[in-house]
Amino acid sequence: MKFDPVLFKDEPVLGIVRGVPENRLEGVLDSARDAGLKFLEITLNTDHALRLIQSASKKYERSLCIGAGTVRTREQAEQAVASGARFLDSPTLNEEVAAYCRNQSVSYFPGALTPSEIEKAWQAGATMVKVFPASQWGPQYFREIKGPFEEIPLMAVGGVTTGNIPAYFSSGASAVAVGGSVFSESRMVNGEYSKIRDHLKEIIFAVKKILNTME
């Protein structure tokens, strides 16, 4: 499944999977798919990440858009895309990765926090700027940033919950990402797939509910 910006606008939830055991990958991704998630990344600091991305991108080609997270170098970007990643996510802006994504027409989500970092990431060609860690400043920070940077779409990453999702979107966030709170190591290792699925359903429902009220 290719990255579709229109679909992501309608379904603006990104799942971040870090440290999934290879023998639990299918169960975790089945849970994400069954919850209705459309966009999910596997971070490159996961054991055998490239192999997992390759496997996931083939098996879930029709149901999940699989990307690579924690991409910190151009070499990693090239390897991830060659393995089937449909988008790339970085903790900070890497200009070589940004240039590669522009040249290859690959969607890129670099992390930023300060106004200068956010503007620089956008000017480098970011599809959307990942505000990370969002929990350090909260939804009000998004409201302040959107003042001078109204045209820059922002994703809230870090500390996103069903309780604060409405505040993030009403303050200007265009998307949210969820990671360890949903895809926790214990849930993945122990095969607690129903907990992953049900938690994701709550997140997705909360997002759709607030988006419907904002239309």
Side-chain angles (χ1 to χ4, degrees):
M1 181 175 167
K2 294 182 179 180
F3 182 85
D4 182 343
V6 175
L7 179 60
F8 190 59
K9 182 179 179 181
D10 293 336
E11 305 273 353
V13 182
L14 172 63
I16 301 174
V17 173
R18 187 187 311 275
V20 60
E22 191 165 4
N23 65 343
R24 299 299 193 191
L25 178 67
E26 184 173 345
V28 169
L29 297 193
D30 281 350
S31 299
R33 178 201 60 203
D34 293 346
L37 191 70
K38 296 293 188 293
F39 302 89
L40 181 145
E41 70 177 53
I42 298 171
T43 66
L44 292 188
N45 55 358
T46 297
D47 288 344
H48 312 298
L50 294 175
R51 189 163 70 206
L52 299 184
I53 290 169
Q54 183 176 46
S55 173
S57 63
K58 289 181 179 178
K59 182 174 179 58
Y60 297 87
E61 182 178 4
R62 296 182 180 275
S63 54
L64 286 170
C65 180
I66 301 295
T70 319
V71 180
R72 299 176 60 189
T73 67
R74 181 187 176 99
E75 181 181 10
Q76 288 179 332
E78 293 173 349
Q79 292 173 340
V81 171
S83 298
R86 301 300 189 180
F87 63 90
L88 303 181
D89 188 345
S90 298
T92 60
L93 170 66
N94 181 291
E95 295 192 23
E96 289 187 353
V97 173
Y100 170 77
C101 289
R102 289 197 307 271
N103 292 335
Q104 299 298 317
S105 298
V106 175
S107 294
Y108 181 43
F109 299 87
L113 186 58
T114 68
S116 296
E117 291 172 347
I118 290 170
E119 183 177 40
K120 186 175 182 180
W122 181 244
Q123 291 177 344
T127 304
M128 184 178 291
V129 180
K130 182 179 76 172
V131 179
F132 172 78
S135 59
Q136 295 302 305
W137 301 101
Q140 181 59 31
Y141 186 63
F142 283 70
R143 189 179 302 278
E144 299 292 340
I145 289 296
K146 292 296 284 188
F149 300 128
E150 183 180 5
E151 79 283 6
I152 301 179
L154 304 174
M155 181 191 300
V157 184
V160 173
T161 68
T162 53
N164 61 28
I165 279 173
Y168 274 115
F169 278 97
S170 62
S171 297
S174 295
V176 295
V178 291
S181 62
V182 174
F183 301 98
S184 68
E185 181 179 353
S186 62
R187 286 178 178 178
M188 293 191 297
V189 169
N190 295 324
E192 297 175 340
Y193 306 130
S194 62
K195 290 184 178 180
I196 294 173
R197 182 196 64 223
D198 293 345
H199 197 167
L200 271 177
K201 280 185 176 180
E202 292 177 2
I203 295 287
I204 293 169
F205 177 79
V207 170
K208 289 184 176 180
K209 183 177 180 180
I210 184 63
L211 290 181
N212 287 337
T213 65
M214 294 171 64
E215 290 181 350

